[in-house]
Amino acid sequence: MISIKLKNYNKPPKKLICPNSIKQIQRAANSQDGSICSGNYYRDDSVRSLLKAFSIGKRHFNKKDSPKCFYCESKGEAMLILEVEHYRPKDAVNKIDLAIGQKHNGYYWLANEWSNLLLSCRSCNNASAKGTRFPIVDHKNRIFHEQPVNSALILDRSNSKINSNKLISEYPLLLNPEYDVPEDHLTFNAFGRIKPKSNSKKGQITIEVLKLDRDPLRIKRKKILDDFIHDIKVLIEARDLGKFTSNENLEAALEPICKKIISKRRADSAYTLWGIYLNDNIEKLIINKLPKPYRELVKKVYYGC
Ligand SMILES: [Zn+2]
């Protein structure tokens, strides 16, 4: 998960604030039932395509772009389905996150709220992961009800935006990539395992809730690292075997690989946070794994890119 700072909370797509969407929120709030909020509004193409663009650091989505999950940063896989996800769940809160005896009908009034909508893969959002989870620091701060629509069908979003004083006062424990700075809460080890940074409680709970350390993710992250080391070693062996006649030739062959490593930092890469970690720890994770006589040479090429 990385910071995504492209959404303007004050300018929702028109579909989310059209009269019928507002009526729907009025009905949901009156009945305290978010399940009546069909996807007609929050799943609209105008919403989805903006979220897809934001997911890869762009303002506008092009059909050729490959979006990614806001949470785990998976992208481009054949079975990857990205859904519009409610950060605060719209029709229930899992009892794990509630005090004993509490029941919560979900944040139904936020079903079509722009700042509450993210893009998530099914593995992050299924019932055994995020589902209806929404942990907060203290049960006493939990908000149960809000009616942001008055009888004249005027929508007041002042208590609905994620950065409103009211919602901030819940102190959520789940990182939101658009509001929080995930880079301050999450880090890795050399095996691709994600872990909380500086003992961040928010980082720890987010990893648990979204299952960000699940095996398929950990294996894919580690493979990115292993593939880079492998590709560089292949070139070094070729130099040892005389296939490159000079170190200059080897340097030229290393350059595209080093550029590829650097490109893993980009927001449109899969697993950007891991890519940032790889680059920030390039010597420990990659260069020191190479045969000693070539380390300085690879370093020179990498830092020269
Ligand atoms: Zn995901």
Side-chain angles (χ1 to χ4, degrees), residues 68-74 80 82 119-125 210 212 214 217:
K68 65 180 181 180
C69 173
F70 273 37
Y71 290 139
C72 72
E73 297 195 83
S74 293
L80 187 75
L82 296 171
L119 196 68
S120 166
C121 75
R122 286 199 175 157
S123 300
C124 287
N125 197 24
L210 299 173
L212 293 179
R214 56 187 186 261
L217 291 177

Side-chain angles (χ1 to χ4, degrees), residues 1-273:
M1 192 190 298
I2 52 162
S3 296
I4 300 173
K5 303 291 177 207
L6 290 163
K7 187 185 280 178
N8 183 345
Y9 295 148
N10 296 319
K11 279 195 178 168
K14 288 193 174 70
K15 192 82 181 180
L16 294 177
I17 47 168
C18 72
N20 284 340
S21 169
I22 294 172
K23 263 186 221 162
Q24 190 180 70
I25 293 305
Q26 187 187 44
R27 283 202 309 277
N30 287 343
S31 59
Q32 303 200 8
D33 180 6
S35 67
I36 67 163
C37 294
S38 64
N40 289 359
Y41 306 101
Y42 67 80
R43 274 200 209 109
D44 187 74
D45 266 354
S46 61
V47 174
R48 293 169 68 94
S49 64
L50 274 178
L51 293 174
K52 283 180 183 175
F54 297 166
S55 80
I56 49 170
K58 297 176 72 171
R59 290 190 181 277
H60 302 286
F61 188 67
N62 183 312
K63 279 199 173 122
K64 286 186 198 148
D65 290 334
S66 170
K68 65 180 181 180
C69 173
F70 273 37
Y71 290 139
C72 72
E73 297 195 83
S74 293
K75 73 172 259 178
E77 294 156 29
M79 299 299 285
L80 187 75
I81 295 169
L82 296 171
E83 298 168 326
V84 177
E85 130 82 354
H86 293 88
Y87 172 67
R88 281 176 168 83
K90 70 177 169 62
D91 50 19
V93 173
N94 193 311
K95 63 174 192 270
I96 302 171
D97 297 322
L98 299 171
I100 295 166
Q102 265 184 348
K103 185 179 179 302
H104 196 292
N105 291 339
Y107 297 82
Y108 38 81
W109 64 99
L110 303 178
N112 298 340
E113 165 53 41
W114 185 217
S115 61
N116 193 44
L117 302 178
L118 306 175
L119 196 68
S120 166
C121 75
R122 286 199 175 157
S123 300
C124 287
N125 197 24
N126 69 26
S128 67
K130 164 73 170 29
T132 54
R133 296 285 314 267
F134 197 71
I136 59 174
V137 169
D138 190 327
H139 297 309
K140 75 175 190 315
N141 296 324
R142 178 79 68 185
I143 300 165
F144 285 81
H145 181 65
E146 189 78 42
Q147 171 50 287
V149 184
N150 68 16
S151 55
L153 277 183
I154 304 293
L155 174 68
D156 175 5
R157 295 175 63 233
S158 57
N159 286 331
S160 299
K161 290 178 211 162
I162 188 173
N163 57 352
S164 65
N165 289 338
K166 182 139 189 187
L167 291 182
I168 288 171
S169 71
E170 274 196 319
Y171 296 104
L173 284 170
L174 182 72
L175 288 168
N176 180 309
E178 293 187 322
Y179 179 70
D180 296 296
V181 179
E183 293 85 342
D184 292 343
H185 298 270
L186 301 169
T187 187
F188 299 92
N189 70 11
F191 303 100
R193 296 212 86 115
I194 193 164
K195 52 182 198 168
K197 191 173 192 174
S198 316
N199 291 320
S200 160
K201 174 99 170 156
K202 253 184 157 172
Q204 179 211 327
I205 299 288
T206 299
I207 293 167
E208 282 170 23
V209 168
L210 299 173
K211 301 207 165 13
L212 293 179
D213 202 36
R214 56 187 186 261
D215 282 349
L217 291 177
R218 187 179 47 74
I219 290 164
K220 278 175 208 150
R221 291 191 290 249
K222 181 69 166 48
K223 187 173 181 304
I224 292 170
L225 170 63
D226 291 345
D227 285 352
F228 283 136
I229 295 171
H230 172 266
D231 292 351
I232 296 173
K233 279 186 173 169
V234 166
L235 294 180
I236 288 173
E237 275 165 30
R239 170 69 175 132
D240 284 340
L241 292 169
K243 287 183 188 165
F244 293 114
T245 50
S246 68
N247 274 354
E248 284 71 33
N249 290 343
L250 173 60
E251 286 174 19
L254 282 167
E255 207 177 287
I257 299 177
C258 290
K259 283 189 172 154
K260 210 168 154 191
I261 297 172
I262 292 166
S263 77
K264 296 305 291 177
R265 278 181 178 278
R266 288 172 45 159
D268 60 350
S269 285
Y271 314 117
T272 304
L273 191 65

